[in-house]
């Protein structure tokens, strides 16, 4: 399948086991439903992912100190005969995220081109699904690079804050950690959910944010499975403060996950 008509997940592997596997499987099932794919056999996917995680963690495969990841993909099938969905699982060595966690990332705000209620008005655009159609996300990252940045925060055409091309946004505003709601067509973040669950002493939740709210935030993070919680150190060319202590707490929670 080379038309992007499929869904995928990527899970980090630690100590031979994929982290947050059940959350990733649940999101795979949700994305498949949005694309009207057959419901995935989660028992088979679970077994395949666990086997791949064990195999990629063998000493002769993974260098000492390296992190591994598992990517698992389900597509509608061959372009000619789409009667039988196909799937595959790939284990690979991942990059060490410790440097970007410590130094932060530079982001720019880009218009995604859809209203915040696109899931309700135009469900065929598949916002909120983790699909294989990633060309727009990659184009946004190239635009960020042209502007001297590393990453992107998308906003809707009517001004609401959404997510990154490969990450979920967390903002700290008035002492509360908030993230945009999935009803805005953003991908429900497994990493963000684990951060909110693990930082029990802070107020957390979803909130409808507009572009101006980002300027009110005293800290921003972009969260993903492979990198964890990465602080934003610059937004649209303006230097940003970031909380290294809370960042370290978030990533300690994430690195300790077992599933």
């Amino acid at each position: 399948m080379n038309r992007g008509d499929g869904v995928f997940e990527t899970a980090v592997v630690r100590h031979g086991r994929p982290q947050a596997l059940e959350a990733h499987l649940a999101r795979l099932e949700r994305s498949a439903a949005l694309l009207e794919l057959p419901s995935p056999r989660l028992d088979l996917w679970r077994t395949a992912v666990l086997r791949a995680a064990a195999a990629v963690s063998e000493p002769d495969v993974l260098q000492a100190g390296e992190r591994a990841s598992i990517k698992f993909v389900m597509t509608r099938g061959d372009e000619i005969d789409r009667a039988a969905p196909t799937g595959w699982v790939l284990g690979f060595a991942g990059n060490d995220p410790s440097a970007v966690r410590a130094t932060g990332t530079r982001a720019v705000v880009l218009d995604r081109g859809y209203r915040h209620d696109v899931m309700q008005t135009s469900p065929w655009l598949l916002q909120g699904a983790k699909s294989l159609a990633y060309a727009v996300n990659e184009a946004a990252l190239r635009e960020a690079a042209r502007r001297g940045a590393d990453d992107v925060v998308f906003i809707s055409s009517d001004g609401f804050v959404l997510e990154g091309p490969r990450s979920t946004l967390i903002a700290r505003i008035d002492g509360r950690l908030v993230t945009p709601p999935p009803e805005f067509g953003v991908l429900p973040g497994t990493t963000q959910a684990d951060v909110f669950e693990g930082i029990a002493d802070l107020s957390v939740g979803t909130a409808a944010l507009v572009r101006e709210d980002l300027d009110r935030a005293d800290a921003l993070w972009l969260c993903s499975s492979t990198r964890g919680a990465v602080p934003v150190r610059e937004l649209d060319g303006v230097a940003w403060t970031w909380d290294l202590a809370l960042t370290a707490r978030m990533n300690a929670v994430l690195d300790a996950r077992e599933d």
Side-chain angles (χ1 to χ4, degrees):
M1 169 57 64
N2 57 17
R3 297 185 179 180
D5 195 8
V7 297
F8 78 100
E9 288 290 328
T10 305
V12 169
V13 177
R14 289 180 64 84
H15 312 299
R17 293 187 61 83
Q19 292 187 313
L21 176 56
E22 296 308 313
H24 283 293
L25 289 171
R27 196 167 64 180
L28 182 78
E29 186 174 46
R30 175 183 180 274
S31 294
L34 288 172
L35 268 70
E36 299 181 70
L37 289 165
S39 182
R41 290 270 308 274
L42 296 187
D43 55 336
L44 296 181
W45 283 102
R46 184 181 296 106
T47 298
V49 172
L50 288 172
R51 288 181 178 176
V56 79
S57 300
E58 292 290 337
D60 59 340
V61 177
L62 204 62
Q63 300 290 325
E66 277 189 320
R67 296 165 63 95
S69 295
I70 302 294
K71 183 174 183 178
F72 44 111
V73 177
M74 178 181 180
T75 81
R76 200 171 304 276
D78 184 88
E79 284 85 352
I80 298 174
D81 179 10
R82 300 191 181 188
T86 61
W88 48 268
V89 177
L90 173 68
F92 57 95
N95 296 323
D96 183 354
S98 57
V100 71
R101 290 176 175 183
T103 61
T105 189
R106 301 165 301 171
V108 293
V109 177
L110 296 182
D111 188 341
R112 181 173 259 172
Y114 301 143
R115 286 175 49 90
H116 76 284
D117 56 357
V118 65
M119 282 190 74
Q120 292 75 44
T121 62
S122 308
W124 54 88
L125 294 177
L126 302 179
Q127 292 304 294
K130 194 171 178 67
S131 79
L132 294 173
Y134 247 58
V136 170
N137 289 337
E138 294 298 327
L141 291 169
R142 292 194 296 274
E143 178 61 24
R146 282 190 285 270
R147 300 186 186 196
D150 315 301
D151 219 321
V152 171
V153 175
F154 281 128
I155 60 171
S156 66
S157 60
D158 50 348
F160 288 89
V161 178
L162 301 174
E163 60 189 342
R166 55 190 176 189
S167 56
T168 305
L169 176 79
I170 295 177
R172 187 171 63 192
I173 300 176
D174 298 329
R176 188 169 191 248
L177 298 179
V178 295
T179 192
E183 292 80 13
F184 282 12
V186 302
L187 190 71
T190 61
T191 305
Q192 164 265 313
D194 286 332
V195 166
F196 280 11
E197 182 178 355
I199 308 294
D201 59 318
L202 297 180
S203 175
V204 301
T206 60
L209 305 175
V210 295
R211 172 63 183 87
E212 291 74 18
D213 289 322
L214 295 180
D215 295 329
R216 295 198 301 117
D218 62 11
L220 301 168
W221 292 266
L222 292 173
C223 299
S224 65
S225 295
T226 54
R227 300 200 305 175
V230 175
V232 175
R233 77 167 190 263
E234 183 181 291
L235 187 67
D236 282 343
V238 177
W240 221 258
T241 59
W242 72 89
D243 189 331
L244 286 177
L246 183 52
T247 300
R249 283 187 62 196
M250 289 178 173
N251 286 310
V253 166
L254 297 173
D255 290 342
R257 288 178 298 179
E258 294 184 1
D259 195 90

